[in-house]
Amino acid sequence: VIIKEGTTVIGGEAFKESCAMQIALPDSVTEIQDYAFYNMKNLKRVVLNSNLKKVGDSAFEGCVSLYSVEFPGLVNTIGSHCFDGCVRLQSVILPNWITKIEPYTFYGCSSLRNIVVPKLVNTIGEYAFSSCQSLENIFIWRTVTTLGANWLGAYYPNVTIHTLSGSKAYQYAAE
């Protein structure tokens, strides 16, 4: 999919269930609205631009072939359910400016192996990493003070929570 330079917003459901395999956003896009790329089963790769600031709820939900996403530096909002059900997603580099990982953001990302929670994040929402059975390492700063219900879901014996002593994540891991 080629999106014209000058486009600033990718509207809700704009490419819902499209057959595209790759999307590259021009520098002019600053927002991806809810469900914009929902259920694009063939989508494997997304190239996000450096001016993007907001990614809406369920924007990439159900993109079962998506395997890697790297967010540029300016993104400060990633909506709930954004990658829900992206079963092949193995790698995500989160932007440094987000302060919350919304509920169900990575729910069902069963191939996700490692995640580094950015330093400004203070809340990880409910079920944010639930059903991520392949998760091996999660790095969480002391700044996270709120962990939503079942944020990590079921017990995964192979997951290591990397955090500092005394943090909320440390207390969770110790339980």
Side-chain angles (χ1 to χ4, degrees):
V1 172
I2 298 172
I3 300 166
K4 286 184 174 184
E5 182 64 46
T7 303
T8 58
V9 175
I10 306 297
E13 301 184 12
F15 296 98
K16 180 180 176 182
E17 299 180 351
S18 166
C19 294
M21 295 177 69
Q22 181 172 321
I23 292 171
L25 298 181
D27 287 340
S28 57
V29 174
T30 59
E31 179 181 355
I32 297 172
Q33 292 184 341
D34 300 349
Y35 299 94
F37 303 106
Y38 178 84
N39 211 27
M40 290 180 64
K41 303 231 182 266
N42 297 321
L43 184 62
K44 292 182 180 182
R45 187 164 179 252
V46 177
V47 179
L48 300 173
N49 71 48
S50 60
N51 293 318
L52 187 64
K53 293 181 179 136
K54 179 181 180 191
V55 180
D57 296 344
S58 300
F60 296 98
E61 182 176 348
C63 294
V64 296
S65 298
L66 186 62
Y67 64 86
S68 178
V69 174
E70 183 173 342
F71 284 93
L74 293 179
V75 173
N76 58 29
T77 303
I78 300 173
S80 67
H81 295 270
C82 191
F83 297 100
D84 187 339
C86 294
V87 296
R88 289 196 180 99
L89 187 62
Q90 295 177 14
S91 173
V92 175
I93 298 176
L94 291 170
N96 291 327
W97 301 110
I98 61 170
T99 59
K100 180 178 183 181
I101 296 177
E102 297 289 343
Y104 296 89
T105 299
F106 297 100
Y107 183 87
C109 293
S110 54
S111 297
L112 188 62
R113 298 206 181 285
N114 301 298
I115 194 88
V116 176
V117 175
K119 196 172 189 173
L120 294 179
V121 170
N122 57 40
T123 301
I124 298 177
E126 63 185 13
Y127 296 93
F129 298 102
S130 187
S131 296
C132 296
Q133 296 91 331
S134 297
L135 195 61
E136 296 172 357
N137 295 288
I138 184 165
F139 297 83
I140 302 175
W141 291 91
R142 178 174 276 171
T143 53
V144 173
T145 56
T146 303
L147 296 170
N150 295 306
W151 71 277
L152 191 56
Y155 172 72
Y156 301 122
N158 296 328
V159 69
T160 301
I161 299 172
H162 302 269
T163 191
L164 297 173
S165 178
S167 69
K168 187 74 169 178
Y170 183 85
Q171 292 170 6
Y172 173 86
E175 291 176 358

